[in-house]
Amino acid sequence: MSETNIQALMNEGATKLKVRSKKARRRLFLQRILFVTIGAIIMGVSLELFLVPNQILDGGITGISIILSHLTGFKLGVFIFILNLPFFYIGYKQIGKTFAITTLYGITIMSITTVLLTPVHVFTDDLLLCTVFGGIILGVGVGIVIRFGGCLDGTEALAILLNKKLPFSVGEIILFVNLFIFTCAGFVFTWKFAMYSVITYFIASKAIDVVVQGLDESKSVWIISNEIDEIGEAIMARLGRGVTYLNGEGAFSGQDKKVIFCVITRLEEAKLKSIVEEFDDHAFIAVGNISEVRGGRFKKKDIH
């Protein structure tokens, strides 16, 4: 084959890769837009059909918007959009263009949803039901948007910026901001509604964790034992999980050690421990939570 033909084949292959890459990026973009739209609409439903009519609020910029909307009589969606604009700019500078654009789109959809749903009658006047179901629905909506690379509240972007200038973590800054907002809510809506708002915020945060991390939580496992080969083979055969052998050295004993590393689901944890105990009931096992697993050969398997 001539050099010209080889070069032509290489160029053709590169072109195909570019086309595939473009298609993949387009598919991922459309997927992101779809789910950000769904998440933003879900959050708007929670605000207008559960929380706001019952004077229960969320934390962050949304909470401030609810307070201002109550005091001025203007539409909630207007305040949510306007107050989040400065944080859209911060997100663009601190996190990136894609995040900022996705966030602006999500906030716009949520603002429009709240405006459209304002005339709709609230689902229930029961404060406990509104607190629980409003918090769950709110958390699901926010969680979907976060999972697909966006955000519906500028507090996180502000916390990331302040974290570089203050001796506090991002989580601590968000907590301080929300404590201030719920304190203000106590004066505006009375303390009973402020306390219901705190419960809603707690429920929503747990729902966000479930959506972002998934119900089928993964776990990383480290195993140190003198029967490492037998344990590794049993894990592969009976759990269907791949294992990685690592070489280590005991700091106290100075002896060479082989270490198993593998990733399992939380449902497989008990089975794995029983497998290890069969071969070595004195084996060292360390188990940790993992929020996300990608690539490799990690797939759901049947437990044998």
Side-chain angles (χ1 to χ4, degrees), residues 8-248:
L9 288 172
M10 290 176 64
N11 291 337
E12 184 182 352
T15 303
K16 286 181 179 178
L17 284 174
K18 284 182 181 178
V19 170
R20 279 198 209 122
S21 179
K22 274 187 181 178
K23 287 182 179 178
R25 284 200 300 268
R26 191 181 300 117
R27 186 174 65 251
L28 289 173
F29 175 76
L30 292 175
Q31 182 187 57
R32 172 177 289 177
I33 291 298
L34 172 64
F35 281 99
V36 168
T37 302
I38 293 171
I41 292 173
I42 289 173
M43 183 173 179
V45 169
S46 172
L47 290 173
E48 285 296 341
L49 301 186
F50 288 91
L51 303 180
V52 175
N54 290 291
Q55 299 183 349
I56 300 171
L57 67 156
D58 184 28
I61 302 302
T62 304
I64 296 173
S65 300
I66 293 172
I67 293 173
L68 292 176
S69 176
H70 176 78
L71 293 175
T72 63
F74 286 107
K75 299 285 188 183
L76 172 62
V78 174
F79 281 110
I80 289 175
F81 183 79
I82 292 174
L83 294 181
N84 272 297
L85 283 179
F87 302 104
F88 159 75
Y89 179 75
I90 293 173
Y92 176 78
K93 290 293 185 181
Q94 298 294 322
I95 303 174
K97 180 180 177 181
T98 302
F99 171 83
I101 292 174
T102 306
T103 296
L104 180 63
Y105 173 76
I107 290 169
T108 302
I109 294 297
M110 182 183 66
S111 301
I112 293 171
T113 302
T114 58
V115 171
L116 294 176
L117 291 178
T118 299
V120 180
H121 191 268
V122 66
F123 276 171
T124 176
D125 296 325
D126 187 297
L127 287 179
L128 181 59
L129 290 177
C130 288
T131 298
V132 174
F133 284 94
I136 293 172
I137 296 170
L138 181 75
V140 169
V142 174
I144 290 173
V145 174
I146 292 174
R147 183 156 187 163
F148 287 89
C151 178
L152 291 177
D153 192 282
T155 311
E156 287 84 356
L158 175 64
I160 291 170
L161 178 65
L162 294 178
N163 172 248
K164 298 179 180 180
K165 304 178 183 298
L166 299 174
F168 301 107
S169 68
V170 172
E172 288 171 338
I173 294 170
I174 292 174
L175 178 62
F176 294 150
V177 170
N178 287 327
L179 284 175
F180 172 76
I181 293 169
F182 290 132
T183 301
C184 293
F187 290 105
V188 175
F189 297 117
T190 75
W191 295 105
K192 179 179 78 171
F193 293 104
M195 288 187 282
Y196 274 115
S197 299
V198 172
I199 296 172
T200 297
Y201 178 76
F202 177 77
I203 293 172
S205 66
K206 295 302 177 184
I208 290 171
D209 290 341
V210 170
V211 174
V212 173
Q213 298 177 7
L215 288 169
D216 197 10
E217 185 180 13
S218 300
K219 292 179 177 288
S220 61
V221 183
W222 302 80
I223 304 167
I224 303 175
S225 169
N226 293 326
E227 311 293 335
I228 212 74
D229 293 326
E230 292 83 355
I231 293 172
E233 289 175 6
I235 291 173
M236 288 189 289
R238 293 159 61 181
L239 276 186
R241 293 296 179 194
V243 301
T244 300
Y245 294 117
L246 306 173
N247 294 318

